[in-house]
Amino acid sequence: MPGTWGIHYIADEIAVGFGRTGRMFANEHAGVAPDLLCLSKGITGGYLPLAVVLTNDSIYDAFYDEYATLKAFLHSHSYTGNPLACAVALEVLAIFQEEQILEGLVSKTMHLASYREMFEALPWVGEFRQLGMIAAIELVKDRETREGFPWEERVGFQIFKKSLEHGALLRPLGNVIYFFPPLTITEEEMDRLADIAHRSVVDVLDS
Ligand SMILES: *Cc1c(COP(=O)(O)O)cnc(C)c1O
């Protein structure tokens, strides 16, 4: 049921669902439950394209009745319920249980947090932000004033190119370097990623 105000709450957990923030769904951190929940990406571990929208009974029932009432929710997609993608999604759910992915994230998340110091020691790091298995390193020209690099310099892109040379594919968002690794990443692989990101930032900016 919609909450006190009768307003439906739609949560897009396409990026943050399926353990990314350390809980199965990010809404759990806030102790709330959406009326509509959009999921994709992690639902298949990213291996096949699948997206779903979950809803509660009150919304479902609004579109479900005897045929003669014509209450159906008239929409369709070419590949709705694609069996191959659904099979992969079921396997991902099985892996979450069998390999205790959520439980394993506790130490991995702490490991990711342990990089804060090495990045904050760099003069160009304005902020190191982290939630669960997402970390963002905000690069700035001036740490005191938080003045950013001019966008024309494409500092993030230079660092991306340098990191390829060192053997990692970073995907900066502007001048924010971020880590969004597979939840199955090992701590050794995380170390390698952090080391390459660190080296690439220094290579590009310390010149
Ligand atoms: C990737 C992404 C989308 C797009 O999802 P599609 O399933 O590709 O349409 C929407 N919202 C968020 C938050 C995303 O990360």
Side-chain angles (χ1 to χ4, degrees):
M1 285 294 286
T4 321
W5 307 103
I7 297 167
H8 290 124
Y9 167 42
I10 304 172
D12 178 346
E13 292 222 21
I14 290 179
V16 295
F18 286 92
R20 178 56 53 184
T21 66
R23 305 272 188 100
M24 195 59 167
F25 299 111
N27 273 267
E28 294 172 38
H29 292 283
V32 292
D35 300 289
L36 292 149
L37 177 62
C38 309
L39 299 172
S40 187
K41 297 201 172 95
I43 196 172
T44 55
Y47 283 98
L48 280 182
L50 180 74
V52 301
V53 180
L54 307 182
T55 191
N56 53 30
D57 285 345
S58 78
I59 293 177
Y60 180 83
D61 288 342
F63 294 102
Y64 189 80
D65 206 342
E66 292 300 324
Y67 179 76
T69 61
L70 302 178
K71 266 174 77 177
F73 183 42
L74 295 176
H75 82 304
S76 67
H77 302 287
S78 305
Y79 296 110
T80 295
N82 180 274
L84 206 52
C86 291
V88 171
L90 288 175
E91 189 54 30
V92 165
L93 289 178
I95 289 171
F96 261 93
Q97 269 190 337
E98 286 158 18
E99 298 182 19
Q100 304 210 303
I101 298 292
L102 286 178
E103 293 78 354
L105 288 181
V106 176
S107 61
K108 284 185 198 182
T109 294
M110 276 165 32
H111 196 71
L112 187 58
S114 75
Y115 302 135
R116 173 183 295 279
E117 255 178 68
M118 73 182 245
F119 281 103
E120 284 188 342
L122 294 173
W124 315 279
V125 171
E127 191 176 51
F128 179 97
R129 299 186 286 272
Q130 187 211 356
L131 178 64
M133 290 294 277
I134 313 167
I137 302 154
E138 183 155 353
L139 300 174
V140 291
K141 192 169 174 173
D142 185 325
R143 200 189 338 230
E144 296 304 311
T145 63
R146 283 287 195 98
E147 183 197 347
F149 290 97
W151 64 270
E152 301 92 330
E153 283 181 22
R154 304 193 72 186
V155 161
F157 183 56
Q158 307 301 331
I159 292 165
F160 160 79
K161 285 196 293 187
K162 184 56 76 179
S163 71
L164 280 183
E165 282 173 31
H166 291 316
L169 198 149
L170 300 178
R171 185 182 178 273
L173 275 173
N175 295 332
V176 178
I177 308 285
Y178 75 91
F179 297 139
F180 202 94
L183 304 185
T184 51
I185 195 170
T186 64
E187 294 192 359
E188 290 71 31
E189 288 164 337
M190 288 167 75
D191 288 345
R192 179 134 185 268
L193 195 59
D195 175 58
I196 291 177
H198 188 274
R199 267 195 289 153
S200 303
V201 170
V202 172
D203 283 357
V204 169
L205 295 177
D206 194 17
S207 55

